[in-house]
Amino acid sequence: MTMKKLKWGMIGGGEGSQIGPAHRLGAGLDGVFEFSAGALDHRPDYGIDYGQRLGLGDRAYGGWEEMLEAEKKRDDRVDLVTVATPNATHFEITKAFLENGFHVLCEKPMTMTIEEGEDIVEIAKKTGNICAVNYGYTGYSLVRHMRAMIARGDIGKVRLVNAEFAHGHHADATDADNPRVRWRYDPAQAGVSAQFADCGIHALHMASFVTGQEVEKLSADTVSCIDVRTLEDDAMVNFRMDGGAVGRLWTSSIAIGRQHGLGIQVFGETGGLRWSQEHPNQLYYMPLGERLQVIERGEANLSPEADRTSRVTIGHAEGMPLAFANIYADLAEAISARKESRIMDSAANLYPRAEDGLRSMAAVFAVAQSGKEDGKWMDARPPMFR
């Protein structure tokens, strides 16, 4: 990978943001991106002040439109823009930057509708610019090793995938009217889905990422366990994949005792694999008829995909910002390869694409509709992929 730093800009992720620091840590970790520009807050004065305190100088902008107009005129314009704003603004901002020649990493969900998602896919193809979506948990080293093991046939043909993303942080009914919680279950602000669109799509994308299969159809049971909520706080989704695998997915925000709760199990003809985001340093592998093996992050003889994304020595903790950093490292390699007219490192060619964001949005609408129709099976594919 080239040591010449690329220039990176961020929209959203301002002071007090939950996701902003993770992106700034991730982008800066390997020294491949320089934080060069930002429109960090919907309040112009706050955004400019915070950006200047972070060292952006006159490239701390009061809004994304101002940032776009200024950056596209610069010879040293940013190479990558991260969109970390509220969900309803993702489409407009991502579209504008792609059409003006910028590569984009958009937070999930990429859009609010399937039609918008298809537009973004088409714009990325037409312009040739990268549009990535931050399914950041696929950046974990052992998730990538899991994918490599499945691809090389270590567990045989995949039969069953069991994915979960369940937490209990919205379980208190007395807190249901808290504005920071309430908006998530309000269709006017969140769209057609709450918990599945927030967390479930991470688990569903993880299932596709590690198996190399896409979801074709699904059936969902959705429920609002706290009855004042319009949108679901718990969902159970059955799905079928295009390579023949059967899938089960549970996502919940009322599972008291669960903290983060993202995990995945894959069962094949000759073995099984299990990984959890709360214990990311271990991948459990059970070959048929043999003893359980614990694969440790950082150990010798892992896949190139795992070796490339392991920064700290074996036994030390790996966390979410490092997973995000691996997505940024992938994008830095992709952008640098284009600039240098060379083939990118295949072990880095794993960042989630606009197509992944589109498939997730199609699944969100399919889950919402299936939940309304008592679990009726729905086509989970976006129209352009049918």
Side-chain angles (χ1 to χ4, degrees):
M1 182 184 294
T2 180
M3 293 303 293
K4 181 178 172 63
K5 282 193 177 185
L6 300 169
K7 294 188 180 298
W8 172 64
M10 188 174 194
I11 302 167
E15 192 165 19
S17 163
Q18 178 183 2
I19 204 69
H23 277 287
R24 288 189 286 274
L25 286 168
L29 189 63
D30 293 312
V32 292
F33 282 110
E34 176 186 350
F35 188 24
S36 302
L40 305 179
D41 201 295
H42 68 280
R43 300 163 295 183
D45 292 345
Y46 284 78
I48 292 171
D49 176 67
Y50 189 49
Q52 289 178 343
R53 281 188 278 131
L54 292 177
L56 297 181
D58 63 359
R59 294 173 82 173
Y61 301 106
W64 70 264
E65 297 98 332
E66 180 188 345
M67 176 173 164
L68 175 61
E69 288 304 311
E71 288 295 315
K72 71 182 185 182
K73 297 173 185 175
R74 297 182 68 108
D75 293 333
D76 62 344
R77 58 157 56 186
V78 290
D79 296 289
L80 176 70
V81 175
T82 292
V83 179
T85 54
N87 297 354
T89 65
H90 289 179
F91 170 70
E92 179 184 19
I93 300 172
T94 298
K95 178 177 184 291
F97 276 86
L98 286 174
E99 289 179 335
N100 281 278
F102 295 88
H103 302 302
V104 176
L105 171 61
C106 183
E107 262 300 333
K108 45 67 57 178
M110 183 177 75
T111 61
M112 294 291 283
T113 69
I114 298 169
E115 293 77 17
E116 289 176 349
E118 292 189 332
D119 282 351
I120 293 296
V121 169
E122 292 290 357
I123 291 165
K125 287 180 180 178
K126 181 180 178 180
T127 62
N129 295 317
I130 292 170
C131 181
V133 183
N134 191 41
Y135 292 106
Y137 304 114
T138 61
Y140 278 104
S141 178
L142 288 182
V143 170
R144 296 186 169 198
H145 187 61
M146 184 187 229
R147 174 189 169 104
M149 290 180 69
I150 293 169
R152 71 192 185 198
D154 288 10
I155 64 170
K157 182 178 174 62
V158 175
R159 291 171 171 166
L160 176 66
V161 184
N162 188 326
E164 293 186 357
F165 199 155
H167 66 81
H169 301 302
H170 300 162
D172 186 353
T174 64
D175 197 41
D177 205 41
N178 180 336
R180 297 188 67 176
V181 175
R182 186 181 61 221
W183 77 266
R184 299 175 182 272
Y185 302 92
D186 176 6
Q189 299 181 72
V192 298
S193 170
Q195 179 59 18
F196 184 80
D198 188 29
C199 294
I201 58 173
H202 275 297
L204 195 70
H205 177 262
M206 183 80 76
S208 290
F209 181 82
V210 299
T211 63
Q213 300 184 33
E214 300 295 348
V215 177
E216 286 193 324
K217 62 180 182 177
L218 59 79
S219 168
D221 179 21
T222 60
V223 63
S224 300
C225 292
I226 295 180
D227 56 16
V228 297
R229 290 174 175 163
T230 303
L231 299 177
E232 88 288 348
D233 51 26
D234 188 279
M236 181 66 76
V237 181
N238 293 314
F239 58 93
R240 301 289 187 272
M241 308 186 85
D242 59 9
V246 174
R248 317 291 188 205
L249 186 154
W250 172 49
T251 187
S252 183
S253 65
I254 52 85
I256 297 173
R258 289 293 191 100
Q259 293 300 325
H260 188 267
L262 174 62
I264 188 163
Q265 300 175 86
V266 183
F267 305 103
E269 293 175 329
T270 60
L273 292 161
R274 173 169 53 92
W275 179 87
S276 168
Q277 199 268 163
E278 292 182 20
H279 304 280
N281 276 3
Q282 289 80 37
L283 173 63
Y284 295 88
Y285 171 42
M286 183 73 184
L288 182 65
E290 299 182 29
R291 290 185 174 182
L292 178 67
Q293 299 178 24
V294 182
I295 298 169
E296 293 279 349
R297 185 205 51 76
E299 70 180 47
N301 302 314
L302 296 184
S303 61
E305 294 88 342
D307 287 340
R308 185 180 182 279
T309 52
S310 185
R311 291 177 182 76
V312 294
T313 53
I314 189 169
H316 293 286
E318 179 184 43
M320 184 188 77
L322 276 75
F324 278 32
N326 288 332
I327 302 293
Y328 277 101
D330 291 346
L331 290 168
E333 168 62 9
I335 294 168
S336 295
R338 291 182 181 209
K339 284 176 172 280
E340 298 162 13
S341 301
R342 60 175 174 83
I343 302 297
M344 73 176 294
D345 181 353
S346 60
N349 196 16
L350 295 176
Y351 60 88
R353 267 72 167 176
E355 289 83 355
D356 298 304
L358 170 59
R359 289 184 186 278
S360 292
M361 188 48 55
V364 166
F365 277 84
V367 165
Q369 191 62 34
S370 179
K372 290 178 181 177
E373 298 190 35
D374 294 327
K376 180 180 177 181
W377 283 89
M378 299 287 173
D379 195 326
R381 300 169 298 174
M384 72 185 305
F385 294 157
R386 293 179 186 175

